Amino acid sequence: MNVNVVVDKGYALLRNPQLNKGSAFSDAERHALALEGLLPPVPTTLDHQVSRIHVQLATLDNDLQKYLFLSDLQARNETLYYAVLMSDPAGFMPLVYTPTVGEACQKFDHIFHAARGVYLPISAKGQVKRLLSNWPQKDVRFIVVTDGERILGLGDLGVGGMGIPIGKLALYTACAGVPPELCLPVMIDVGTNNAALSDDPLYLGLRQPRVRGEQYEAFIDEFVEAVQELYPKSCIQWEDFANFNAVPILEKYRDRICTYNDDIQGTASVALAGIYAALRISGQKLTDQRVLFLGAGSAATGIAELISQAMAMEGLTLEQARKRNNLFDINGLLTSSSKMMEFQKPFAIEHEPLGDFVAAIKALKPTGIIGVSTVPKLFNQKVIEAISEINDRPIIFPYSNPTSRSECTAEEAYAWSKGRAIFASGSPFPPVTVGGKRFVPGQGNNVYIFPPMGMAVYATEARRVTDQMFIVAAKAVAEQVGQESLDVGLIYPPQSRILTASLHVATAIAGHIFERGLARVPRPDDLSRLIAEKAYVPSYGRNC
Ligand code: NAI
């Protein structure tokens, strides 16, 4: 039994999502727990329940309905919810996370059903610890927190951003086995600047402009302190903050507590994994790469920095490496004379101003382009042809999410590069046949990184999350890609194997955590066994 949960009996037990087994309560349990008569008479198994959910889902004809059905299931029977997700993680990921979660966040106030997680409005300044203490679990290891300002590529969704921490934590469990009872989604509500939301009578968050500056920072400080006091073994993962908050928050806390930002570091790691795998196709060295980013926000600078650090581990100085990662923002190439934010400065180069992306490709001769601009279609035919002219196997990663924001489609990249692109995107694209060859586009989904990172941090009780851990993760992901995948252009492990891949990646990260003396538990002889033993497996046996 889960020690944190008070054992309920009778009808209340059927309303407790952590203990409820629904029709799977055995005859003996029904007798002992005052459930007789409260359920259809014949006990069933978890497998049968999973099949029943699949049947029910098949009757629903749109993804948002399926999302809602699954979140209701999570609210009534957590074991069954995870058994369903883990029966086909690749199939369920688009339903519980991107792209469906984007629509769910946009419609949050209209579709709100059941509360989950903790909401911290800035109106509760000074009371954060008290609010957090209302969460029933006292051992929390993983917190995903957002302030809802930059949800996916969709902008300020206010309190509706809560869909992201909820969905993301479901993937920590479904894709790497982080125990769900140790996970806590948090929404920090400092207001919204989205007028459509604050004018909507159904809006559920604070109707005030976003609080900025010192008051905002003090509220984040209060949150971090409360978490440290209540949950000293926890890791805080910052999610979908606007870049001008995301970067300073990460800088402020990364060396003080166990924390990371998935948009910055997870994205960076999965992009680096894609590059490591791409090098297996092109046969080139990492230090020979030059990457041109479209966009210079938190994803771009995060990826550029991690690639630079990985290049530095292979012999370049960090300064030389950063010069090989160039940023092209809304006003053109970032050069030393551009107006820019502090976190962009390391990547500004000495160069004449260039306002046209194709001209920048021709001038800088990148081996790859990565789109993190949130603007669709900017990798147009001229762009793809320009990079394909310079490279035999150009790396083309349109990473903006959701699909509607992708800088190009897989078909466009393969067609315009005449089948030579090494392609991966932020949102999924189906396999395509171009010039008679079938390609399976990879999705540079952070899901290859953050669940195993969470699992490794949890299993080792890591004190910190370092950039090196993300480089280790990237290498471990790339190692998982088989030659048969590379042959069809797939540079990430098949998502159908996500759990196996995650456990491998978590083991590699855990090894690094022990090596660097960052663990708070003794090192066992067998690391993969440590990870496997800690991994959550949905089963009713566990709860009774
Ligand atoms: P951000 O808002 O921090 O950055 C966007 C950047 O693009 C800004 O620097 C902006 O000035 C620039 N930009 C806007 N219009 C432009 C234009 N026309 N040309 C060039 N640059 C332009 O957002 P963030 O966090 O960097 O995310 C960017 C995108 O990357 C989002 O769509 C997000 O969903 C996606 N992303 C994908 C991930 C993945 O698939 N693994 C993970 C994280 C983010």
Side-chain angles (χ1 to χ4, degrees):
M1 194 189 72
N2 180 343
V3 288
N4 284 321
V5 179
V6 178
V7 181
D8 289 323
K9 284 184 89 170
Y11 200 67
L13 185 52
L14 301 177
R15 293 288 174 274
N16 180 329
Q18 289 187 313
L19 297 179
N20 185 20
K21 303 181 185 182
S23 58
F25 280 110
S26 66
D27 283 332
E29 287 169 331
R30 291 171 187 218
H31 182 70
L33 298 167
L35 289 169
E36 283 159 310
L38 300 184
L39 290 161
V42 181
T44 183
T45 62
L46 181 57
D47 285 347
H48 279 120
Q49 289 178 309
V50 171
S51 305
R52 189 174 300 110
I53 296 295
H54 280 279
V55 169
Q56 292 172 10
L57 278 166
T59 66
L60 301 175
D61 52 20
N62 82 57
D63 287 350
L64 188 62
Q65 283 175 1
K66 292 180 186 178
Y67 172 93
L68 288 170
F69 176 85
L70 288 166
S71 51
D72 281 347
L73 175 61
Q74 188 180 19
R76 69 171 193 274
N77 182 339
E78 228 171 69
T79 309
L80 178 54
Y81 172 74
Y82 284 108
V84 168
L85 259 51
M86 291 166 100
S87 70
D88 178 15
F92 282 102
M93 231 184 284
L95 292 179
V96 297
Y97 202 58
T98 54
T100 312
V101 74
E103 189 184 356
C105 289
Q106 286 174 308
K107 297 181 175 162
F108 182 81
D109 314 290
H110 292 231
I111 62 175
F112 182 76
H113 279 204
R116 170 167 294 277
V118 172
Y119 293 82
L120 300 173
I122 198 158
S123 51
K125 181 165 63 102
Q127 322 255 346
V128 167
K129 190 171 168 194
R130 188 172 63 78
L131 267 59
L132 274 173
S133 312
N134 287 338
W135 183 246
Q137 302 294 346
K138 299 307 164 205
D139 186 8
V140 170
R141 301 298 183 87
F142 233 89
I143 294 174
V144 176
V145 57
T146 188
D147 73 355
E149 187 157 10
R150 202 241 61 206
I151 296 302
L152 309 173
L154 302 170
D156 181 351
L157 297 186
V159 79
M162 181 55 137
I164 297 292
I166 292 171
K168 199 137 196 172
L169 282 168
L171 299 189
Y172 273 99
T173 302
C175 301
V178 179
E181 68 273 16
L182 304 179
C183 297
L184 170 60
V186 174
M187 201 291 137
I188 291 182
D189 184 358
V190 297
T192 178
N193 293 345
N194 183 337
L197 289 179
S198 35
D199 291 347
D200 182 346
L202 294 186
Y203 183 57
L204 286 159
L206 295 181
R207 285 164 206 274
Q208 61 179 53
R210 284 185 175 272
V211 172
R212 304 274 187 216
E214 277 174 25
Q215 279 188 58
Y216 177 89
E217 286 162 32
F219 197 58
I220 300 286
D221 273 345
E222 187 186 340
F223 164 68
V224 170
E225 269 166 40
V227 167
Q228 296 311 298
E229 284 171 32
L230 290 170
Y231 317 120
K233 290 183 180 172
S234 67
C235 177
I236 300 176
Q237 192 235 280
W238 310 95
E239 179 72 23
D240 283 359
F241 285 69
N243 60 35
F244 49 80
N245 285 322
V247 175
I249 287 174
L250 181 61
E251 284 315 308
K252 182 166 184 181
Y253 298 110
R254 64 189 298 162
D255 296 327
R256 294 190 203 169
I257 62 168
C258 182
T259 193
Y260 69 97
N261 180 311
D262 184 58
D263 304 309
I264 301 174
Q265 296 161 288
T267 301
S269 184
V270 82
L272 180 60
I275 289 178
Y276 280 131
L279 299 179
R280 291 179 55 198
I281 295 178
S282 68
Q284 294 175 352
K285 290 197 309 201
L286 182 65
T287 46
D288 291 336
Q289 303 307 300
R290 178 184 277 279
V291 182
L292 180 60
F293 292 81
L294 186 70
S298 45
T301 49
I303 301 170
E305 179 61 19
L306 199 69
I307 297 177
S308 303
Q309 292 201 21
M311 285 175 161
M313 283 166 70
E314 295 187 16
L316 299 186
T317 66
L318 193 55
E319 204 179 328
Q320 287 168 334
R322 283 175 174 159
K323 284 197 175 17
R324 302 188 74 85
N325 288 278
N326 311 130
L327 309 182
F328 189 100
D329 204 16
I330 190 159
N331 295 320
L333 184 68
L334 277 197
T335 67
S336 42
S337 59
S338 310
K339 235 179 106 188
M340 66 195 124
M341 286 181 270
E342 205 51 43
F343 66 90
Q344 297 167 326
K345 285 185 180 163
F347 303 101
I349 50 170
E350 293 298 330
H351 204 282
E352 58 169 333
L354 285 174
D356 175 56
F357 194 57
V358 172
I361 291 177
K362 289 186 174 159
L364 298 169
K365 304 204 173 6
T367 51
I369 48 175
I370 299 184
V372 268
S373 65
T374 74
V375 185
K377 298 288 165 207
L378 292 181
F379 288 176
N380 56 28
Q381 188 164 356
K382 282 189 179 146
V383 166
I384 307 279
E385 284 175 354
I387 182 123
S388 306
E389 213 163 278
I390 308 165
N391 296 283
D392 189 30
R393 301 302 310 263
I395 292 172
I396 299 174
F397 293 174
Y399 259 21
S400 285
N401 288 321
T403 315
S404 60
R405 309 278 170 124
S406 188
E407 282 82 1
C408 67
T409 65
E411 191 163 10
E412 287 166 347
Y414 289 125
W416 294 334
S417 68
K418 303 208 172 12
R420 289 186 287 124
I422 305 178
F423 177 90
S425 51
S427 295
F429 284 104
V432 285
T433 301
V434 170
K437 181 166 164 36
R438 184 170 181 270
F439 295 94
V440 181
Q443 186 191 3
N445 192 325
N446 297 25
V447 80
Y448 291 112
I449 305 293
F450 67 79
M453 185 61 66
M455 188 63 203
V457 166
Y458 154 64
T460 61
E461 296 185 13
R463 261 187 281 273
R464 296 285 179 273
V465 181
T466 64
D467 280 347
Q468 282 69 31
M469 283 156 68
F470 284 97
I471 295 174
V472 169
K475 282 190 179 151
V477 170
E479 274 165 23
Q480 296 283 293
V481 186
Q483 190 56 45
E484 65 294 349
S485 294
L486 296 177
D487 290 344
V488 289
L490 180 59
I491 56 169
Y492 290 103
Q495 288 190 3
S496 53
R497 289 188 48 245
I498 190 81
L499 189 57
T500 319
S502 289
L503 297 181
H504 171 88
V505 177
T507 304
I509 303 169
H512 180 83
I513 292 171
F514 282 113
E515 236 168 66
R516 294 299 159 105
L518 292 170
R520 283 181 280 193
V521 298
R523 190 189 199 289
D525 292 335
D526 187 343
L527 280 183
S528 48
R529 197 160 151 210
L530 169 77
I531 298 293
E533 281 176 358
K534 292 266 181 190
Y536 167 81
V537 177
S539 134
Y540 288 132
R542 209 171 158 266
N543 282 348
C544 63

